[in-house]
């Protein structure tokens, strides 16, 4: 496993143990970066339920971003949220 992948997996684990829950906008940003970093570009069509639409939009906002860049951005965001 690469250093970046290890750091990404550590950030994913750390995001689940933050001392306080981030606001909804930050949660969506985390979701979008996580999906872009782990899967790549979002499909053109998303779910029709309200929460699914917000999540899909957050993911799609990262369209075209390199997966490694998304992982780095995710790591930086989680680190900024840690105490």
């Amino acid at each position: 496993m690469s250093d970046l992948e290890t750091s990404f997996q550590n950030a994913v684990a750390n995001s689940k143990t933050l001392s306080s829950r981030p606001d909804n906008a930050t949660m969506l940003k985390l979701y979008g970066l996580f999906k872009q970093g782990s899967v790549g570009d979002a499909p053109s069509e998303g779910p029709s339920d309200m929460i699914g639409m917000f999540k899909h939009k957050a993911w799609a906002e990262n369209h075209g971003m390199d997966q490694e860049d998304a992982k780095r951005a995710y790591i930086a965001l989680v680190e900024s949220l840690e105490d």
Side-chain angles (χ1 to χ4, degrees):
M1 190 178 309
S2 72
D3 288 343
L4 177 59
E5 187 61 32
T6 300
S7 296
F8 181 65
Q9 293 304 323
N10 287 337
V12 170
N14 292 345
S15 73
K16 297 174 184 174
T17 61
L18 295 171
S19 60
S20 62
R21 184 184 187 281
D23 61 48
N24 289 340
T26 304
M27 291 294 288
L28 287 169
K29 179 90 174 156
L30 283 167
Y31 176 82
L33 289 170
F34 171 80
K35 292 295 279 186
Q36 187 70 22
S38 57
V39 178
D41 289 337
S44 58
E45 300 253 345
S48 59
D49 67 284
M50 185 69 76
I51 293 172
M53 288 187 320
F54 280 113
K55 288 173 129 182
H56 183 266
K57 182 179 181 225
W59 181 9
E61 287 175 355
N62 299 303
H63 184 82
M65 180 186 281
D66 182 77
Q67 283 184 270
E68 289 185 357
D69 290 339
K71 288 177 182 181
R72 287 185 192 95
Y74 182 90
I75 293 164
L77 181 54
V78 170
E79 287 175 351
S80 75
L81 297 170
E82 294 175 330
D83 292 332

